[in-house]
Each structure stands twice: as structure tokens, then as C-alpha cells.
Amino acid sequence: MSTAVETLSKLERRITLTLPREEIQAEVEKRLKIQARKAKAPGFRPGKVPMKMVAAQYGYQIETEVLNDQIGRVFNDVAIKNDLRVAGFPKVEPKEGAAEGALEFNATFEVYPEVVVGELAGAEVEKTTAAVAEAEVEKTIDILRKQRVHFHVKGEHGAHGDGGADQTAQNGDRATVDFIGKIDGVEFAGGKADDYPFVLGEGRMLAEFEAATIGLKVGESKTFPLSFPEDYHGKDVAGKTAEFTITLKKLEWAHLPEVDAEFAKTLGIEDGDLTKMREDIKKNLEREVNARAKAKTKDSVMEALIKVSYLEVPKVLIEQDVERLSEMARQDMAQRGMDVKTMPLPKELFTAQAERRVRLGLILSDLVKANKLEATDEQVKAQIEEFAQSYEDPQQVLKFYFSDRSRLAEVEALVLEDNVVNYVLGKSKVTEKSVSFDELMGNQQQA
């Protein structure tokens, strides 16, 4: 067995593994005898199959297993002896010209790099801050009301009124229509429907379709041209102009629930106290705002770490992460009902992201080890307790996490990242950046 390590590049190494043929053959024969005890074949009782037949049926498989086991054992011995931190798995190939009575293989592999984290005192980091004002609380209440909207037929008097004197279709109304579309006088697939409901102003239909509906009364029809966008999802009609005829069958106006005790109860406030409701909404918004601000600050810290750190990134680790990201993308697409078999996903799509992820992982690992930033049991418990605050039964949340080691590991990873962020914030040039609520939330609250 050779223990000489050949350096091919900064991270790439190669060693030659030598395996005595006699040892390989002896192990193969040993495993074949074990296999023979349970081998089955027509005309023979279990365990009585001739060895030649056992060898013919299982010999190649067992020899391959023995070779893989022995190569792995010898490689690990060499790696330990030479204090090699192997990244990924080695590429093993037979070597020609082996000595008589021996098998030789070349194992080519990469090692983990030396990570040099530069001076953090010169690193610039943005710490994002944001506040939740009463305006955001009121806006959230409006959104919650719209989520609980119910519709009444226009013109029919009920407990909430009749929708007003204007009985024509307006933005906010729910219109139920029959429609038929034709291109060059011919109907096309998907261009016809009966009793089709949609809310005007939500953008569910093309703008020309909604514009034609507005102003109609029940029973009225309208014929109009509609131009499909070039990038329309229906390829057969994309970029073409159709003639549509719509007939308004039913018209309903939207009634938003009043902000009263009953409304508060639908949000989990058992006694219907509106002050409690607003306090709960504000707390939830503050929790979300803090989480998003924290995430933006973390991104800034990670970017700063990348800028001040120096290391070579093992190609094998990037390739492994590309595979992970590609598989995650395929699973996500499949869950969305997309046909992943016919949709190519070039690896180049994920290379840059994978390289950054691996680079950051190596930097964080080195920083944590060098500065003892590992997550403590107390920190993990405190994080889980913070998660539990937003649930009705906090004890169930604690039980959920502490009953599964993999869930605890996820929390530990979050705490570890927090430790790194706090460490870097304490060492670098920090600039506080105050952002508006809407900017931080990405305007998600706009209904």
C-alpha cells in the first residue's frame, strides 16, 4: 500500500492504492461461502447449491463489493495517516502496470481548503431596522376584512342592504358571465364558458375583458375585440386578436364585515375585545417585521464575510450542491403540477448559487470553530420558546421540536447563524438602515 500523496493543484490530490490479490480473493471466497448457505436454485435444497453455480450467479457482485470495501478501507487509512481532510468522494480508477500479485488504483480527490477570514474591523455591514405604526395595523385589518368578504345579489334587499342604486357592474363586484371567443370566426379551445364568476378589479381576467364587463346590467351582452399578449400562457392564441361576446348572468356586490366584536372573534379574540385584537395584530406584525429585518441584516453580514475571506472552493462540493439544488427545484416544480421530465434544468442555472452556498458554509464553519460560536442548549431552548409564542399551545410546540433530533438540528443551525451575525456586528463597521414597512414587506400587504 502506497502512502505517497501527489499534489495536482491547490486542492486536488492523488494517491495510489495497492491491494494484494490474495487478500481480495480470500475475502471473495469467504463471502461466497456465506452466500452459499442461503443460495437457492431450481432442483437444489436451500444451502446445497454447488459452489460453481453460486460463484457464477453472485461472483461478480461479491467481487465488486469486496473491491469497494477494501479500496475504501485503504483510502481511509491513508487519509488518516496523512491528516487529509477529504472533500466529497474520491474518483477511483484502475492503474496499469501493477506489480505481480497486486491490484493498483489511483484515487483522485480534493481536500478542504485553508480559510482565511480577513480583518472584520474594516468590513461594512448594514443593520436593517423598521417600525410598525398604527397605519400598518389598520391596513392589516382592511386586508383581513377583504379576506372575509361575502357577496350579495345587487338589487336584492337583505340585512346588509341592496348594494345601492347603481345596478351596473363596477370594480369590486363579482360578475358571473357566459362568454365565447372566436378568432377569424372560429371558436378556440378555452375560449368559451358558461356561468363563469370573477371579481372585477382583481386582475384575474385580461384588462380588455374586465373593461367590457364594467357598466353592464344583468341580461345585457357586449361584443368586443380582445388582443392576447405575445407572452400569453395559451400559446395557440398568444399575440392574436379574438372577438368575444359576453353576457352578464349575475351581479353581486361585496360586503365587508364590520370591525366589531364578532369580527374580533373570527381572529381568535374570544371575548371580542377590539383593543386586544389590535394589540395581537401589532405583535404579529412586529414579529414578522423583526424576522425580515433580521434576515436582511444577516444577508449583509454574509456578503461582508465573503468579501473579507480568502479560500479555494472544492469543485466536488459545488457539484454536490448543484445536484441538491437541482433536485429541490424539480420537487418544487412537480408539486406545482409541472412536468419535470420534459423540462430541462441545466446545471449552469445553479452553479453560482451553489458556489456561494459552499463558500459561505466553509467560512462559517471556520469562524464558528475559531471563535467558539456553537449554539448552546440554552440558546436553542430560548429560540424554540420564541417560536412557540405565536401558537395557542406553546407546550405542544416545545414537544414538537424536542421530540425530534432533526428538528432540533434545524433550530441549532438558526441559532448558530445568529451567533455569527452578532459576532460580526460586534467587530465590523455597522450602519443602521431604516426602511419603511411596505419596503421591508415587499408591499405584500397591498390588497
Side-chain angles (χ1 to χ4, degrees):
M1 176 178 69
S2 172
T3 58
V5 180
E6 185 180 356
T7 299
L8 304 180
S9 66
K10 286 186 177 180
L11 298 182
E12 196 172 31
R13 305 286 186 270
R14 182 167 61 203
I15 57 179
T16 298
L17 308 175
T18 303
L19 307 176
R21 288 181 182 273
E22 288 184 3
E23 290 185 13
I24 298 297
Q25 189 58 39
E27 182 63 24
V28 169
E29 290 176 359
K30 177 183 175 182
R31 296 191 188 187
L32 279 173
K33 288 178 182 178
I34 294 173
Q35 183 64 43
R37 296 172 191 165
K38 53 185 177 182
K40 296 179 182 179
F44 297 94
R45 287 179 295 160
K48 300 297 182 180
V49 180
M51 185 58 71
K52 286 186 178 180
M53 292 181 64
V54 174
Q57 184 173 357
Y58 300 103
Y60 178 77
Q61 174 188 336
I62 289 177
E63 184 174 352
T64 301
E65 291 174 355
V66 169
L67 276 175
N68 287 338
D69 290 348
Q70 294 296 325
I71 288 171
R73 178 183 62 79
V74 174
F75 179 82
N76 287 335
D77 289 346
V78 175
I80 292 171
K81 182 178 180 180
N82 289 274
D83 196 24
L84 297 172
R85 296 177 61 228
V86 180
F89 299 99
K91 179 181 180 182
V92 179
E93 298 174 310
K95 182 180 179 182
E96 296 181 1
E100 187 176 349
L103 296 173
E104 288 188 341
F105 299 87
N106 280 332
T108 306
F109 57 96
E110 287 181 289
V111 295
Y112 279 93
E114 178 187 0
V115 178
V116 178
V117 179
E119 182 56 53
L120 288 173
E124 297 182 354
V125 176
E126 276 190 349
K127 184 177 182 180
T128 301
T129 62
V132 176
E134 288 305 313
E136 279 71 57
V137 174
E138 293 304 319
K139 187 185 295 185
T140 301
I141 291 174
D142 285 342
I143 291 171
L144 293 170
R145 291 177 69 206
K146 290 176 182 177
Q147 291 172 349
R148 290 159 176 75
V149 67
H150 50 277
F151 292 89
H152 302 283
V153 175
K154 268 193 172 183
E156 291 185 2
H157 187 77
H160 300 124
D162 60 5
D166 189 347
Q167 298 298 305
T168 62
Q170 303 296 325
N171 274 333
D173 291 343
R174 182 164 66 186
T176 300
V177 301
D178 292 346
F179 66 81
I180 182 170
K182 298 180 180 180
I183 296 178
D184 297 328
V186 179
E187 292 182 26
F188 56 91
K192 180 180 180 180
D194 292 331
D195 297 320
Y196 186 84
F198 65 98
V199 177
L200 288 160
E202 285 190 346
R204 180 178 170 187
M205 308 297 285
L206 290 175
E208 293 159 282
F209 196 101
E210 289 203 2
T213 307
I214 289 176
L216 289 179
K217 293 182 178 180
V218 173
E220 292 184 340
S221 299
K222 181 183 284 189
T223 299
F224 60 96
L226 185 149
S227 299
F228 289 99
E230 294 288 345
D231 59 352
Y232 191 69
H233 59 81
K235 295 181 180 179
D236 293 340
V237 299
K240 298 180 180 179
T241 298
E243 183 179 78
F244 272 87
T245 298
I246 59 173
T247 301
L248 184 60
K249 301 283 290 295
K250 185 179 181 181
L251 188 62
E252 299 165 289
W253 63 281
H255 175 259
L256 298 175
E258 299 297 327
V259 182
D260 54 17
E262 290 304 313
F263 178 73
K265 289 177 182 178
T266 67
L267 298 179
I269 308 300
E270 293 183 2
D271 61 2
D273 189 308
L274 294 181
T275 300
K276 287 183 182 177
M277 179 193 76
R278 285 183 163 82
E279 289 174 350
D280 271 11
I281 290 173
K282 188 171 185 178
K283 284 181 182 177
N284 289 331
L285 289 177
E286 287 174 340
R287 189 178 293 114
E288 178 66 16
V289 161
N290 290 337
R292 288 179 180 244
K294 185 176 175 181
K296 282 187 171 292
T297 300
K298 186 183 81 171
D299 288 344
S300 181
V301 166
M302 298 305 166
E303 197 59 39
L305 281 174
I306 287 176
K307 288 180 180 178
V308 301
S309 301
Y310 306 89
L311 69 154
E312 291 282 333
V313 182
K315 295 177 183 176
V316 65
L317 297 185
I318 296 175
E319 291 169 0
Q320 289 175 359
D321 207 52
V322 164
E323 290 296 332
R324 277 193 289 269
L325 292 172
S326 176
E327 182 57 30
M328 287 167 59
R330 288 185 178 279
Q331 291 178 3
D332 181 64
M333 292 165 62
Q335 290 174 356
R336 296 170 185 266
M338 302 171 72
D339 185 2
V340 295
K341 294 181 180 179
T342 61
M343 188 172 297
L345 283 177
K347 291 184 178 180
E348 293 76 15
L349 291 174
F350 308 99
T351 302
Q353 183 184 1
E355 195 275 341
R356 187 179 190 277
R357 279 161 52 101
V358 173
R359 182 180 294 276
L360 263 177
L362 294 172
I363 294 170
L364 294 183
S365 177
D366 183 84
L367 200 64
V368 168
K369 184 177 180 182
N371 299 281
K372 296 181 173 57
L373 301 176
E374 293 85 356
T376 65
D377 291 343
E378 293 76 13
Q379 287 178 315
V380 171
K381 184 179 179 182
Q383 182 66 73
I384 294 173
E385 288 174 344
E386 185 178 334
F387 289 159
Q389 289 179 9
S390 58
Y391 291 86
E392 290 184 10
D393 190 347
Q395 288 303 316
Q396 282 296 104
V397 178
L398 291 172
K399 184 179 179 181
F400 173 80
Y401 280 102
F402 282 105
S403 64
D404 189 315
R405 186 69 193 88
S406 64
R407 293 174 192 147
L408 273 180
E410 292 175 2
V411 180
E412 287 172 359
L414 290 175
V415 172
L416 186 146
E417 286 187 352
D418 286 346
N419 289 347
V420 170
V421 169
N422 292 332
Y423 176 82
V424 174
L425 289 175
K427 298 283 186 180
S428 57
K429 295 179 181 178
V430 179
T431 302
E432 285 203 4
K433 180 183 179 183
S434 178
V435 300
S436 70
F437 178 87
D438 285 340
E439 181 183 352
L440 184 64
M441 302 298 287
N443 294 320
Q444 289 187 359
Q445 284 224 318
Q446 291 183 1

